Amino acid sequence: MESGSVTTPFGRRPMTFGMLASQAAARKIEPGQSIDKWKLYRALCEARPLLGVTDRALAILNALLSFYPKGEISEDNGLVVFPSNAQLSLRAHGMAEQTIRRHLASLIEAGLLIRKDSPNGKRYARKEQGGELREAFGFSLAPLLARSEEIERLAAEVVAERLHLQRLRERLTLCRRDVTKLIEMALEEGAAGDWDAIHLHFRHVVEQLPRSSSAAQVASALDELELLREEITNQLEMQIKTHNQSGNAQHFERHIQNSNPHFTSELEPSFEPKQGATAEDRSAGRAEPIAQIQKDEGRNEHVSGARAASAANGGLKSFPLGLVLQACPEIAAYGPQGSVGTWRDLMAAAVVVRSMLGVSPSAYEEACEIMGAENAATVMACVLERAGHINSAGGYLRDLTRRAERGEFAIGPMLMALARTNSPVRGKTG
């Protein structure tokens, strides 16, 4: 400080140990030390959470720095600025003087400013005859210069912590996407496993994460989700390996059967003629079974084709009832006694909703035939959730039914999208 001694506040304002410590620290400025005032201010803005000052207080500090005549803060240029509260108010965009006093007090308490009060408490400066400042009373910026290295270090820590949190959030978002897509795939493909419970565990981990979460909270949630992703991946990969081994065994078995030179003769019925039969009898005896075989083959082809068409039209996978109710909670109100506890309840509720939305009985019956009764009820629950966005529920259902018949429609993505939309913490971190 310019005077090299302790300065006490004017009037009833008491002297504190904090003020004394700030003044002692301000006397430790290195000779020739200087720093760009706006570079230091940017560091202050970054380090604000660790310094314990508000953004409004920093706005007042910005106004004070604008009164400093030089771009570099140094002892050679003087360290005291002395604007009045009225001048500060103008440069602080019209902030009230009472508010200015409060924020100045917070800057002093944080050890960023020192009051250098005049005998009468006014802020002014005395100049030499040559125009040079001899002594000034106001606010000393000495603590800023003395703590400049500390402030820059704190700012670097805050920036590093922010980047660390940003990277954690990016990893969390990717992991959430992976787990969601893997569960959707498992449900759509009918993979073995309690996917309803896995999905509920996933939602529990996500919902426990606060909106404004710290790096430690994000890291904890990320660890749980990465472990869940690894478990899901291992479970699915084991099923793929088992499926491949089973497929190879079946292929090998078929290869052995097809390689048997007696395969055809063993499967065909014997038409050896009885002893003493004539040539005509032998010919007639072979013609009748061959005609019967051709007839049977034609009938089998027809049955096989019908079964293939049925599999193509009704091959949709069913989903756990718990997942359907989580994605489509509105359907529960239309169940027996106002709740849905079983698939039978859901199908009964779907009939009520079908009538309410104006879907014709024929359209719903066709959906049941093509998709299956459980899937048709699930689709009606989804249509109810999106009723506000659908002009014609009957036309929409018929379109989905036609797409399902062609193998172009899957319930899984629609159901999972509604599950995410109806999550209690929609829009949280990821």
Side-chain angles (χ1 to χ4, degrees), residues 181-331:
K181 297 285 187 181
L182 287 172
I183 292 176
E184 287 179 358
M185 181 197 69
L187 289 170
E188 184 63 27
E189 297 296 331
D194 190 356
W195 299 108
D196 191 13
I198 292 174
H199 180 259
L200 290 177
H201 175 62
F202 166 65
R203 295 310 312 170
H204 174 74
V205 174
V206 173
E207 290 166 8
Q208 292 300 312
L209 192 64
R211 183 179 294 274
S212 299
S213 49
S214 64
Q217 291 171 322
V218 175
S220 177
L222 178 61
D223 289 341
E224 288 194 55
L225 289 187
E226 285 182 338
L227 180 61
L228 180 61
R229 179 178 61 183
E230 184 177 357
E231 291 176 354
I232 293 173
T233 304
N234 290 340
Q235 185 173 348
L236 293 174
E237 287 179 349
M238 288 177 62
Q239 294 187 39
I240 292 173
K241 186 181 296 184
T242 304
H243 177 74
N244 289 340
Q245 290 175 351
S246 175
N248 291 337
Q250 292 175 2
H251 175 75
F252 184 66
E253 182 180 354
R254 289 194 299 268
H255 177 72
I256 292 175
Q257 292 175 347
N258 293 335
S259 299
N260 189 344
H262 305 293
F263 178 74
T264 303
S265 61
E266 289 175 356
L267 290 181
E268 289 180 353
S270 176
F271 299 118
E272 295 181 0
K274 295 181 181 179
Q275 291 182 357
T278 63
E280 290 81 0
D281 294 336
R282 288 195 297 270
S283 176
R286 296 184 65 88
E288 182 178 354
I290 290 173
Q292 183 64 34
I293 290 173
Q294 292 175 345
K295 182 178 180 181
D296 291 342
E297 287 178 349
R299 183 169 65 252
N300 291 338
E301 289 177 0
H302 174 73
V303 172
S304 177
R307 288 178 179 173
S310 175
N313 296 338
L316 294 177
K317 304 290 190 303
S318 296
F319 293 85
L321 180 60
L323 178 60
V324 175
L325 294 178
Q326 180 185 351
C328 310
E330 293 187 15
I331 192 71

